[in-house]
Amino acid sequence: MNAWALVVAALALSSFGIYLGRVLRWNSWDVFVRPGPLLSRIANGALDPLSHPRPVALTILFTSFLLVSYLVFYSLARMGSFISEQ
């Protein structure tokens, strides 16, 4: 069960990263080049998430999509290993 919690947490963080990159147009190097504005933007949303419904909704949407995709690949991999054992 702990592994699934880790998977969901990683997918949620990845989804938030997708939101930062695709919607807000932040890049990975901004963490090193412009950390102040990036952290300020993230902290602003983290302190009052209910006043920022779009990032929350998109993060949940991306997380759901990634989780469903992960579960499909996971079940296909398990079926493949089950078939090869017989």
Side-chain angles (χ1 to χ4, degrees), residues 20-57:
L20 289 176
R22 297 298 297 169
V23 178
L24 298 182
R25 303 310 239 166
W26 288 99
N27 294 308
S28 57
W29 59 78
D30 288 326
V31 172
F32 302 108
V33 177
R34 300 181 322 166
L38 176 62
L39 292 176
S40 172
R41 186 82 184 246
I42 293 172
N44 185 23
L47 292 176
D48 191 16
L50 296 179
S51 67
H52 301 83
R54 186 176 183 204
V56 173

Side-chain angles (χ1 to χ4, degrees), residues 9-86:
L11 292 177
L13 288 174
S14 299
S15 298
F16 185 66
I18 292 170
Y19 170 78
L20 289 176
R22 297 298 297 169
V23 178
L24 298 182
R25 303 310 239 166
W26 288 99
N27 294 308
S28 57
W29 59 78
D30 288 326
V31 172
F32 302 108
V33 177
R34 300 181 322 166
L38 176 62
L39 292 176
S40 172
R41 186 82 184 246
I42 293 172
N44 185 23
L47 292 176
D48 191 16
L50 296 179
S51 67
H52 301 83
R54 186 176 183 204
V56 173
L58 285 175
T59 301
I60 290 171
L61 180 70
F62 289 144
T63 302
S64 301
F65 174 74
L66 291 175
L67 185 59
V68 167
S69 301
Y70 183 84
L71 289 173
V72 167
F73 286 119
Y74 180 80
S75 61
L76 287 174
R78 289 192 50 114
M79 277 182 25
S81 67
F82 178 72
I83 293 171
S84 65
E85 288 178 2
Q86 291 181 350

